[in-house]
């Protein structure tokens, strides 16, 4: 394969960035997108140039570390696929390939295509936990969970936190991520004690990090490599309104 | 009250107020559209209906009191709707200071991309519309109490009809996305009912478009005219409802 690669280069968080245009030849269509970038980097290094910085870890679509805007679509044109699982054959016929970092105030660029996504971690810290009984693991069937709830909790838990929803959202909102995390725990019996505190704190953290407001465009669902549904956002909204209007926080009483 | 304010402080809460005020405005639009269709029942019926709006609740309530309650509810809804829209727009604009060079629109529908500028067009229209048919300053020949005549004369002007049509197209987009979106916002989602939310929004948006458009189209095609009203006037029939106050 042969194409023109336009890639965002930025030497540091405060440095001004620009697109670099590279003419790329001899790429096998069986390479993954990241392998293509590896090869381009080796060639850049051989020429004594600075390689392109990009994030990646598992390269099997489960860790959520890779995240690239490829030709205007998070993780590229193939649905339900992370950038690391995208192969060059899926871009067959593309004469030009544009690669950009996720764009959001809450995701500052560290270098080139690498952004700082710790804002998502801070949303998790605000409420993505449950009170657990410490000690040995409980007997598996001691807490019954309805099949439908278990399934839905799994559908939410599948979020890998890659940030594609933020990248795709015209509002730069992280509501699909937040909703997946809130619902994942809020659907299970173990997650009930903190259910309403959780949604209040996590939405507050979401707003504090500088993400935008969800206006139900639905771009996040279409961009999500795990296909998480905006139904979870409706569920979060319902929980948040209920929490804000009726929920009474536990009184902490001295023993 | 404290809780209502703390709800509004969150982004999701602002959106909730936007959805609830949007629902109130939708109910208003449905009633308004149904009332407009009274134009087809002739000048007498329409003017009588316009007069009745001022008298609802009388003699239990004073003249125009129900009308004023409605006006205050509507004004508050429009105020909350626009304030939350503005604040959320500013929040979202700040969330992406640097945009993409290449970005494909992955939204479910194009209508969702028209909400903000479409809303501004609707707001501008509402101001004009009130000056046109309610207070009369923007009307070439306004006669208080003869709403039928004011409407027919008003819609004989093609650019008035043009602005009206443009606004209705924006309203149709606004409601196609807005009604569905409002269900999402208030958390009205259930696997059983989710598939009907889109069609419901589409049907309602199109019904409102057709109903509202039928009046200017009726005037432009001559279906609605002053003819009958003039003929009857010569026969000594007075259509203007009794005037209680100037400019109402
Ligand atoms: C005829 C009057 C109007 C009706 C019936 C109406 C109805 C609605 C509804 C139902 C929503 C959805 C709320 C949600 O997503 O939860 C909405 C959203 C919105 N409205 Fe209105 N609206 C009207 C007028 C206006 C005006 C005058 C403006 C602004 C100047 C405006 C701006 C917006 C904006 C910015 C949104 C959010 C868009 C989004 O969700 O992406 N609307 N409206
Ligand atoms: S590198 Fe782990 S998901 Fe792509």
């Amino acid at each position: 394969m042969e194409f023109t690669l336009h890639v965002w280069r930025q030497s540091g968080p405060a440095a001004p960035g620009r697109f670099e245009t590279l003419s790329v030849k001899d790429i096998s269509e069986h390479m993954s997108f990241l392998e293509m970038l590896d090869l381009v980097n080796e060639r850049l290094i051989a020429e004594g140039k600075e390689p392109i910085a990009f994030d990646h870890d598992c390269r099997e679509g489960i860790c959520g570390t890779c995240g690239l805007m490829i030709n205007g679509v998070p993780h590229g044109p193939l649905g339900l696929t992370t950038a690391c699982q995208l192969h060059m054959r899926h871009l067959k016929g593309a004469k030009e390939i544009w690669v950009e970092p996720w764009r959001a105030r809450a995701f500052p660029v560290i270098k080139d295509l690498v952004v700082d996504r710790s804002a998502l971690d801070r949303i998790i810290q605000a409420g993505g936990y449950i009170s657990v009984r410490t000690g040995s693991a409980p007997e598996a069937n001691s807490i019954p969970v309805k099949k439908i709830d278990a399934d839905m909790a799994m559908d939410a838990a599948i979020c890998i936190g890659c940030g594609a929803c933020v990248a795709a959202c015209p509002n730069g909102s992280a509501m699909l991520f937040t909703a997946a995390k809130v619902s994942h725990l809020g659907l299970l019996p173990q997650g009930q004690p903190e259910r309403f505190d959780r949604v209040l704190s996590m939405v507050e953290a979401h707003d504090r990090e500088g993400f935008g407001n969800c206006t139900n465009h639905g771009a996040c669902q279409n961009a999500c490599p795990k296909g998480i549904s905006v139904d979870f956002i409706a569920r979060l909204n319902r929980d948040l309104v209920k929490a804000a209007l009726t929920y009474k926080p536990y009184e902490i009483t001295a023993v | 009250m404290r809780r209502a304010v703390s709800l509004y402080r969150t982004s999701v809460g602002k959106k909730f107020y936007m959805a609830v005020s949007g629902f109130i405005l939708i109910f208003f639009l449905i009633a308004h559209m149904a009332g407009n269709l009274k134009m087809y029942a002739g000048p007498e019926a329409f003017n009588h209906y316009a007069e009745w709006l001022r008298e609802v609740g009388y003699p239990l309530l004073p003249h125009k009191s129900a009308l004023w309650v409605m006006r205050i509810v509507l004004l508050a809804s429009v105020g909350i709707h626009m304030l939350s829209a503005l604040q959320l727009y500013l929040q979202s604009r700040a969330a992406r200071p640097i945009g993409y060079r290449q970005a494909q629109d992955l939204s479910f529908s194009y209508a969702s991309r028209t909400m903000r500028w479409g809303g501004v067009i609707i707001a501008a229209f509402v101001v004009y519309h009130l000056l046109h048919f309610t207070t009369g300053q923007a009307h070439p020949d306004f006669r208080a109490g003869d709403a039928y005549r004011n409407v027919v004369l008003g819609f004989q002007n093609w650019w008035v009809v043009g602005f009206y049509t443009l606004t209705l197209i924006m309203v149709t987009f606004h409601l196609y996305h807005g009604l569905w979106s409002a269900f999402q916002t208030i958390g009205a989602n259930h696997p059983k009912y989710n598939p009907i939310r889109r069609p419901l929004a589409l049907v309602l948006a199109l019904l409102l478009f057709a109903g509202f458009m039928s009046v200017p189209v009726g005037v432009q095609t001559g279906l609605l005219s002053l003819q009958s009203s003039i003929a009857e006037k010569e026969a000594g029939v007075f259509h203007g409802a009794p005037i209680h106050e100037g400019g109402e």
Side-chain angles (χ1 to χ4, degrees), chain A:
Chain A
M1 287 175 76
E2 216 181 292
F3 49 84
T4 307
L5 186 69
H6 304 273
V7 55
W8 182 260
R9 304 303 303 266
Q10 182 174 337
S11 58
R18 65 186 170 79
F19 280 100
E20 184 172 44
T21 303
L22 302 161
S23 143
V24 181
K25 292 192 179 64
D26 301 324
I27 294 292
S28 157
E29 62 175 49
H30 303 301
M31 279 180 181
S32 75
F33 195 83
L34 300 191
E35 282 166 342
M36 179 276 289
L37 287 180
D38 289 338
L39 194 62
V40 168
N41 275 346
E42 277 173 29
R43 291 174 187 169
L44 284 174
I45 291 166
E47 290 170 26
K49 291 183 186 150
E50 180 81 10
I52 303 160
F54 63 93
D55 242 348
H56 59 99
D57 189 15
C58 73
R59 296 209 177 193
E60 53 183 13
I62 57 171
C63 74
T65 310
C66 61
L68 301 169
M69 197 76 170
I70 301 167
N71 281 350
V73 181
H75 294 297
L78 193 64
L80 301 177
T81 308
T82 53
C84 60
Q85 292 281 290
L86 182 75
H87 286 76
M88 293 311 292
R89 56 182 173 274
H90 301 126
L91 290 159
K92 224 173 182 163
K95 290 266 169 295
E96 311 225 352
I97 297 177
W98 290 82
V99 191
E100 299 175 63
W102 288 170
R103 293 291 190 194
R105 179 158 69 113
F107 288 168
V109 171
I110 297 171
K111 190 172 183 194
D112 295 343
L113 303 170
V114 181
V115 299
D116 178 358
R117 280 170 290 185
S118 50
L120 297 184
D121 300 337
R122 288 187 292 274
I123 295 178
I124 296 274
Q125 278 168 8
Y129 51 80
I130 57 168
S131 306
V132 286
R133 188 182 61 99
T134 53
S136 56
E139 201 273 316
N141 291 322
S142 59
I143 304 176
V145 181
K146 271 198 273 177
K147 168 90 168 95
I148 175 94
D149 289 343
D151 285 353
M152 272 169 58
M154 283 303 280
D155 288 348
I158 203 166
C159 168
I160 54 176
C162 64
C165 46
V166 178
C169 177
N171 296 307
S173 175
M175 210 37 90
L176 190 64
F177 169 83
T178 310
K181 299 306 178 191
V182 164
S183 304
H184 158 200
L185 298 174
L187 277 159
L188 296 173
Q190 293 92 332
Q192 295 312 307
E194 292 95 353
R195 177 167 170 185
F196 293 110
D197 281 325
R198 178 182 304 116
V199 67
L200 287 168
S201 327
M202 288 179 82
V203 168
E204 193 189 313
H206 168 278
D207 292 352
R208 192 171 51 233
E209 293 296 337
F211 291 107
N213 167 254
C214 168
T215 60
N216 302 318
H217 284 292
C220 52
Q221 177 181 313
N222 287 334
C224 178
K226 299 297 159 185
I228 293 174
S229 164
V230 294
D231 288 354
F232 289 116
I233 298 182
R235 195 173 188 285
L236 173 143
N237 293 340
R238 192 165 65 224
D239 269 8
L240 182 102
V241 172
K242 206 189 278 176
L245 294 182
T246 64
Y247 168 66
K248 291 190 186 60
Y250 288 111
E251 293 285 320
I252 297 173
T253 44
V255 186

Side-chain angles (χ1 to χ4, degrees), chain B residues 44-60:
Chain B
E44 189 121 20
F46 189 69
N47 288 345
H48 185 259
Y49 158 73
E51 182 57 22
W52 170 79
L53 283 180
R54 287 160 177 68
E55 298 300 329
V56 196
Y58 186 81
L60 184 63

Side-chain angles (χ1 to χ4, degrees), chain A residues 215, chain B residues 15 18-19 25 81 85 115-116 119-120 123 174 177-178 181-182 185:
Chain A
T215 60
Chain B
K15 196 69 196 302
M18 184 189 254
L25 294 174
H81 198 78
M115 297 301 275
R116 288 174 185 149
V120 172
H174 206 87
H177 175 71
S181 175
T185 302

Side-chain angles (χ1 to χ4, degrees), chain B residues 9-240:
Chain B
R9 286 222 179 88
T10 67
S11 62
V12 174
K14 287 187 186 69
K15 196 69 196 302
F16 179 74
Y17 281 92
M18 184 189 254
V20 172
S21 56
F23 276 126
I24 293 173
L25 294 174
I26 289 175
F27 284 122
F28 164 73
L29 283 189
I30 294 171
H32 188 5
M33 188 271 273
N36 289 2
L37 295 181
K38 272 253 179 311
M39 283 289 289
Y40 290 98
E44 189 121 20
F46 189 69
N47 288 345
H48 185 259
Y49 158 73
E51 182 57 22
W52 170 79
L53 283 180
R54 287 160 177 68
E55 298 300 329
V56 196
Y58 186 81
L60 184 63
L61 305 167
H63 288 290
K64 287 197 189 169
S65 53
L67 185 70
W68 272 108
V69 169
M70 240 165 63
R71 282 176 176 172
I72 288 164
V73 169
L74 284 176
L75 206 65
S77 301
V78 170
I80 289 173
H81 198 78
M82 288 177 57
L83 181 69
S84 50
L86 178 70
Q87 288 179 316
L88 292 176
Y89 161 66
L90 293 176
Q91 177 186 340
S92 295
R93 196 183 58 167
R96 179 166 294 136
I98 302 169
Y100 294 104
R101 170 63 196 266
Q102 301 276 314
Q104 287 189 28
D105 185 4
L106 299 176
S107 305
F108 290 161
S109 79
Y110 171 72
S112 69
R113 308 300 297 257
T114 67
M115 297 301 275
R116 288 174 185 149
W117 56 269
V120 172
I121 292 178
I122 298 171
F125 173 81
V126 169
V127 173
Y128 163 76
H129 191 59
L130 291 174
L131 293 172
H132 193 209
F133 285 146
T134 306
T135 61
Q137 282 87 344
H139 196 282
D141 183 14
F142 187 78
R143 236 178 256 173
D146 197 351
Y148 182 89
R149 184 177 166 281
N150 293 338
V151 169
V152 171
L153 288 183
F155 284 140
Q156 274 167 1
N157 186 332
W158 69 266
W159 68 259
V160 169
V161 175
F163 186 24
Y164 188 89
T165 308
L166 171 75
T167 308
L168 276 181
I169 292 173
M170 290 337 300
V171 170
T172 308
F173 280 172
H174 206 87
L175 292 192
Y176 173 62
H177 175 71
L179 184 59
W180 176 82
S181 175
F183 284 135
Q184 277 290 108
T185 302
I186 64 168
N189 81 317
H190 188 279
K192 225 165 144 184
Y193 306 114
N194 285 355
I196 64 163
R197 294 184 303 177
R198 277 284 182 201
L200 188 72
L202 182 64
V203 168
L204 184 84
L206 290 180
L207 274 181
L208 284 173
F209 181 79
F212 276 118
M213 267 319 279
S214 82
V215 175
V217 168
V219 170
Q220 288 281 329
T221 56
L223 193 64
L224 295 169
S225 70
L226 293 179
Q227 222 81 74
S228 57
S229 118
I230 288 166
E232 284 175 31
K233 219 162 237 160
E234 280 163 359
V237 183
F238 175 62
H239 289 305

